[in-house]
Amino acid sequence: MNLKRFFGGLLTILGIVGLIYTAVIFADTSGGTRDIKSLIIYGILGIVFFTSGISLVRTTKDES
């Protein structure tokens, strides 16, 4: 089992969860400052984790 591929998959899943959580917060937001800060933080972390996970899975060669 390739550790880089596993870690890339884990980062991708964490990114998807972060983006889904951002969408849930966005749907329930009342427009307060605290809501907007959490939207920005979770959204940016979700995007960073998702893109880094996808690129790690993509660039890792499949060696058996």
Side-chain angles (χ1 to χ4, degrees):
M1 178 176 205
N2 198 346
L3 190 61
K4 285 184 182 179
R5 272 198 177 283
F6 174 75
F7 190 63
L10 183 68
L11 282 175
T12 304
I13 291 171
L14 283 175
I16 291 170
V17 169
L19 291 173
I20 290 172
Y21 188 65
T22 303
V24 169
I25 291 174
F26 181 73
D28 293 335
T29 188
S30 62
T33 305
R34 188 173 184 184
D35 292 334
I36 294 172
K37 284 182 183 179
S38 62
L39 271 172
I40 292 170
I41 290 170
Y42 291 129
I44 290 174
L45 283 176
I47 289 171
V48 167
F49 283 177
F50 183 73
T51 56
S52 64
I54 290 293
S55 67
L56 190 59
V57 167
R58 223 181 199 180
T59 59
T60 304
K61 293 181 181 177
D62 204 14
E63 298 174 0
S64 296

